[in-house]
């Protein structure tokens, strides 16, 4: 059986593009212990620890975990604490290009594969009224970087991206699917 080590509704929807039958288990790890690492290393560490925590409970299943972070000049930008913090984050990213990193880990038996995808995302030069309206929608409050690219049609804060759209949503399906095939073919 396949297990997604997450309860994220966005990851759950994207996981359906990889395998049709799976269930979700929350890893319940302390992510703060990794935040003193460089962004890519922190992301990979959190992803791996999520997968290992779930594997301890389900050793016979295939575990897939992921962690997504937003970085600007090697600064990790997490989820906003509140609306005021969301505005601070969005203004920090305003009219700049930042990186979205998703690290994912796949565990099958004693095989562990951790990989990552990086996408560049560029914000428009947004006015405060648009940013405040977006924050009032509630959508940014549970997302790293205080935004979801899937909201861009209604709140056009992003001018473009270079790389995987699914990565920005938090689950790079094409890459995970390829690595899942790779790990399943190992003896």
């Amino acid at each position: 059986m396949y297990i997604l080590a997450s309860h994220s509704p966005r990851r759950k929807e994207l996981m359906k593009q990889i395998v049709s039958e799976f269930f979700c288990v929350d890893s319940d790890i302390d992510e703060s212990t990794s935040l003193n690492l460089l962004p890519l290393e922190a992301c990979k560490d959190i992803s791996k620890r999520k997968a290992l925590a779930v594997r301890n409970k389900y050793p016979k299943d295939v575990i897939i975990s992921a962690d997504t972070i937003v970085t600007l000049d090697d600064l990790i930008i997490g989820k906003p604490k509140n609306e005021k913090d969301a505005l601070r984050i969005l203004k920090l990213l305003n009219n700049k290009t930042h990186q979205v990193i998703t690290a994912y880990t796949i565990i099958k038996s004693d095989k562990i594969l951790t990989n990552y995808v990086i996408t560049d995302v560029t914000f428009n030069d947004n006015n405060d009224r648009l940013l405040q309206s977006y924050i009032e929608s509630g959508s940014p409050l549970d997302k790293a970087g205080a935004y979801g690219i899937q909201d861009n049609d209604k709140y056009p804060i992003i001018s473009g991206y270079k790389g995987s759209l699914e990565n920005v949503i938090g689950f790079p399906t094409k890459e995970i699917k390829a690595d899942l095939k790779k790990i399943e073919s190992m003896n």
Side-chain angles (χ1 to χ4, degrees):
M1 178 57 87
Y2 296 97
I3 298 175
L4 173 62
S6 173
H7 278 297
S8 160
R10 293 171 296 280
R11 285 194 178 123
K12 189 175 180 179
E13 280 305 306
L14 290 168
M15 180 74 168
K16 292 175 184 175
Q17 297 176 22
I18 299 170
V19 295
S20 57
E21 292 187 30
F22 64 94
F23 64 99
C24 298
V25 175
D26 204 354
S27 60
D28 290 325
I29 65 158
D30 179 7
E31 296 182 17
S32 67
T33 61
S34 301
L35 297 180
N36 60 337
L37 301 170
L38 290 172
L40 176 58
E41 295 310 311
C43 197
K44 289 176 5 184
D45 183 63
I46 292 168
S47 170
K48 189 171 184 179
R49 288 189 304 113
K50 284 179 178 180
L52 289 169
V54 172
R55 189 209 34 198
N56 289 338
K57 298 174 192 170
Y58 301 93
K60 295 186 187 319
D61 295 301
V62 177
I63 313 298
I64 302 173
S65 68
D67 187 63
T68 301
I69 61 172
V70 172
T71 68
L72 179 66
D73 302 326
D74 281 335
L75 172 70
I76 296 174
I77 301 169
K79 295 177 184 177
K81 297 174 188 73
N82 52 40
E83 288 185 3
K84 184 179 176 184
D85 194 38
L87 184 60
R88 178 194 63 80
I89 291 169
L90 291 171
K91 283 185 168 194
L92 179 69
L93 299 175
N94 210 29
N95 205 27
K96 294 180 186 149
T97 298
H98 63 274
Q99 287 68 46
V100 176
I101 304 170
T102 299
Y104 57 89
T105 300
I106 304 169
I107 300 179
K108 181 183 179 203
S109 303
D110 60 344
K111 297 168 203 67
I112 300 174
L113 186 153
T114 298
N115 208 342
Y116 64 93
V117 176
I118 300 175
T119 302
D120 289 331
V121 178
T122 303
F123 268 34
N124 289 314
D125 188 5
N126 299 297
N127 63 48
D128 286 357
R129 192 179 41 182
L130 174 62
L131 296 179
Q132 195 59 49
S133 175
Y134 182 40
I135 291 165
E136 288 170 6
S137 77
S139 186
L141 299 177
D142 71 336
K143 295 174 179 70
Y147 75 93
I149 198 166
Q150 61 273 27
D151 299 331
N152 208 50
D153 286 344
K154 190 167 183 181
Y155 302 96
I157 63 170
I158 297 166
S159 63
Y161 66 92
K162 187 175 182 182
S164 166
L165 174 65
E166 286 83 9
N167 178 51
V168 182
I169 297 171
F171 209 62
T173 55
K174 184 177 87 175
E175 293 83 355
I176 293 171
K177 194 172 195 174
D179 280 341
L180 183 60
K181 285 181 183 176
K182 190 184 303 179
I183 203 167
E184 288 181 328
S185 67
M186 294 177 181
N187 289 328

